[in-house]
Amino acid sequence: MIDFYGLTSPNVQKIFIMLEETGLPYTFKPVDVWAAANHTPEFEKLNPNKKIPVIVDHDGPGGKPYTVFESGAILMYLAEKSGKFLPKDMAKKYDAIQWLMIQVANIGPAFGNFTHFNLFAPKPVNEYSLSRYKTEMLRLYELLNKRLGEAKYLGGVGTKVTGISRRKFKPNLQRLRVTLGNGTNTTLLVCTQCIKGGKVAKLVRQKPFRLPKVEKAKPAAEEAVPSGPRARP
């Protein structure tokens, strides 16, 4: 049995989907981050970084309990434990892993920071930050569009673990007022969800998704934004 600690964030939803896809038995244990439950000494023992999600596999390696934190590491652990969603062939396996790393190191932080500065940060003092992350998000959309014009899945043929990871960070384009070019190649993994009894009842399916055809015009200042270290809000 796996104890799954989380709440409702995109990183947590990745693990809900993966657990349901693999069929591994688990118990969901809510962590109220709004009440700082992730900063308690008890939770710090599970994850010294004090973040969700976390899993504790009571039938881990060697039959002993094993704790895994960080959503990308959890996805890889569950894939290996279940024998699903990561190819056995070494080259194909690392095709999937390297695109998973793009999600956890690039898409998640950039999209999350754009959402923060666009919807929650005070204005008008954060124009640089908003422009920086919007530029990076648009770059990443172009990367995804190009990759999905070359391969059926981000991680290669028949590998869902990368799609499960990336799916939770596709923002609502209309709400976020994103300006994109006309994409012709894009096919994304999406998830239709129905939360019942604390579990994601519906699984990942594939359907076409076209980037909206809108005028692609950026202010001159935005074009000049340099690439620099990512801020962590």
Side-chain angles (χ1 to χ4, degrees):
M1 178 64 71
I2 293 172
D3 289 339
F4 170 29
Y5 296 83
L7 201 61
T8 59
S9 67
N11 282 327
V12 170
Q13 292 180 49
K14 296 180 199 175
I15 310 307
F16 266 124
I17 295 168
M18 187 63 168
L19 285 166
E20 290 293 317
E21 283 271 25
T22 59
L24 294 169
Y26 68 95
T27 300
F28 182 59
K29 295 183 176 294
V31 179
D32 189 353
V33 297
W34 305 109
N38 53 313
H39 291 279
T40 63
E42 293 76 17
F43 189 82
E44 187 178 3
K45 291 177 182 178
L46 298 175
N47 183 359
N49 197 32
K50 303 177 183 178
K51 300 282 188 179
I52 53 176
V54 176
I55 65 168
V56 178
D57 183 4
H58 293 281
D59 186 23
K64 299 178 181 179
Y66 188 73
T67 301
V68 189
F69 49 83
E70 290 296 321
S71 61
I74 295 172
L75 288 175
M76 292 175 64
Y77 179 88
L78 295 175
E80 186 168 349
K81 180 179 178 69
S82 65
K84 298 179 179 179
F85 307 131
L86 276 179
K88 303 299 182 184
D89 177 83
M90 188 171 183
K92 292 179 179 178
K93 177 180 179 179
Y94 277 90
D95 282 345
I97 290 175
Q98 63 192 359
W99 282 96
L100 174 62
M101 295 302 104
I102 286 178
Q103 192 285 314
V104 298
N106 294 272
I107 294 173
F111 285 26
N113 279 313
F114 173 76
T115 301
H116 171 79
F117 285 107
N118 188 51
L119 298 180
F120 305 111
K123 295 177 177 64
V125 295
N126 283 298
E127 290 88 348
Y128 173 83
S129 299
L130 178 60
S131 178
R132 168 71 183 94
Y133 289 113
K134 180 179 178 180
T135 300
E136 178 64 2
M137 184 175 69
L138 292 173
R139 185 191 72 80
L140 289 165
Y141 264 119
E142 293 294 338
L143 172 66
L144 295 178
N145 191 47
K146 181 179 179 181
R147 171 61 175 170
L148 290 168
E150 301 168 346
K152 186 175 182 180
Y153 300 98
L154 290 178
V157 177
T159 55
K160 286 186 178 180
V161 65
T162 312
I164 289 171
S165 177
R166 194 225 55 80
R167 175 257 173 263
K168 293 314 305 171
F169 284 92
K170 180 173 71 67
N172 182 310
L173 301 181
Q174 183 176 7
R175 182 185 181 199
L176 297 181
R177 301 181 180 85
V178 175
T179 302
L180 294 170
N182 181 28
T184 58
N185 298 321
T186 306
T187 300
L188 299 180
L189 283 176
V190 300
C191 177
T192 55
Q193 297 180 44
C194 179
I195 307 294
K196 294 181 179 179
K199 294 186 179 182
V200 179
K202 295 211 138 188
L203 304 180
V204 172
R205 62 185 176 86
Q206 184 183 345
K207 79 172 186 179
F209 174 81
R210 283 174 63 87
L211 298 179
K213 185 177 181 179
V214 294
E215 182 181 357
K216 190 172 184 179
K218 300 179 184 178
E222 183 177 333
E223 295 283 4
V225 173
S227 296
R230 292 189 302 273
R232 299 299 292 265

